[in-house]
Amino acid sequence: MQKVKIPRTVDPARAAQKRLDFDGIIQVSLFKRLEESVEGVKRDAQVSLSFGLDEQRLVVISGKANIEVDLECQRCNEVFTHECEVEFTYTPYYSEKSEEDAPEEYDLVDPNEYGEIDLVQLVEDEFILNLPQIAMHDEADCSVNSDNMVFGELPEEVVEEKPNPFDVLKSLKK
């Protein structure tokens, strides 16, 4: 089966009534913010989306996506490949009441002025949120050996006694 392009926007209510499923790709060129957040994006995103209604008759958008990105290791400053896999469940946000009715496991997504949801932005947001806070290789793959890293107290020869900047205030107090 050939992978097709995921539509850019979709009306979630209509898609849920039809119980649509999308299985395809989103091109790298559409992920501008993700490209700015990483060293590079290696391939198109593989995306699987399902639309439906839950027991409360709420529109539910659930999906999975994965992409490969290049990150810079914060230990050794070398670039490495990271596979970013995400799973998500959303329901459209229409009013304060829809926020109260939505179960905790659903994230809320704002439809645009036409009542449609930007699927590319939705998936891109998930990828950006799933990036590691501190990008690092596995210790076995990193060129910096953990024996060369220093943690805890600094040696005494490195620590210099600095004068207290508040000592000047003592002379004013007299």
Side-chain angles (χ1 to χ4, degrees):
M1 182 171 125
Q2 182 181 5
K3 293 280 185 178
V4 296
K5 291 180 189 174
I6 299 290
R8 179 138 196 147
T9 60
V10 69
D11 182 334
R14 282 193 193 133
Q17 287 172 347
K18 294 179 183 178
R19 300 199 184 288
L20 292 180
D21 292 328
F22 295 108
D23 191 20
I25 61 168
I26 297 178
Q27 295 174 307
V28 172
S29 60
L30 298 175
F31 292 135
K32 301 287 186 224
R33 292 177 301 134
L34 181 62
E35 286 185 67
E36 292 170 3
S37 304
V38 297
E39 296 298 311
V41 181
K42 308 249 313 163
R43 63 172 169 80
D44 293 339
Q46 307 292 324
V47 181
S48 172
L49 295 167
S50 295
F51 293 84
L53 298 172
D54 69 358
E55 299 83 32
Q56 294 178 304
R57 307 288 298 156
L58 290 174
V59 173
V60 178
I61 306 160
S62 58
K64 296 179 186 177
N66 67 58
I67 196 166
E68 283 183 2
V69 295
D70 286 332
L71 299 174
E72 183 178 344
C73 178
Q74 299 300 302
R75 258 192 302 241
C76 66
N77 294 330
E78 292 178 12
V79 175
F80 69 99
T81 301
H82 173 72
E83 176 131 8
C84 192
E85 292 190 28
V86 295
E87 287 189 38
F88 48 87
T89 306
Y90 283 97
T91 188
Y93 174 83
Y94 296 110
S95 66
E96 294 291 328
K97 183 170 176 6
S98 65
E99 183 176 6
E100 294 168 7
D101 292 344
E104 277 186 32
E105 58 268 9
Y106 296 168
D107 290 322
L108 298 174
V109 62
D110 284 325
N112 64 16
E113 60 270 11
Y114 306 111
E116 296 180 334
I117 292 175
D118 187 339
L119 296 177
V120 173
Q121 182 180 350
L122 185 91
V123 172
E124 185 178 30
D125 287 346
E126 285 294 324
F127 284 141
I128 291 171
L129 289 171
N130 202 320
L131 290 174
Q133 285 184 339
I134 301 172
M136 289 188 285
H137 288 106
D138 290 331
E139 261 190 70
D141 299 334
C142 198
S143 63
V144 174
N145 190 343
S146 62
D147 296 337
N148 296 339
M149 293 187 274
V150 178
F151 298 101
E153 299 281 325
L154 291 174
E156 287 184 27
E157 62 268 6
V158 176
V159 179
E160 297 176 14
E161 285 297 320
K162 295 181 182 177
N164 186 346
F166 296 104
D167 285 342
V168 174
L169 295 176
K170 287 181 182 175
S171 65
L172 294 175
K173 189 176 180 183
K174 294 179 183 178

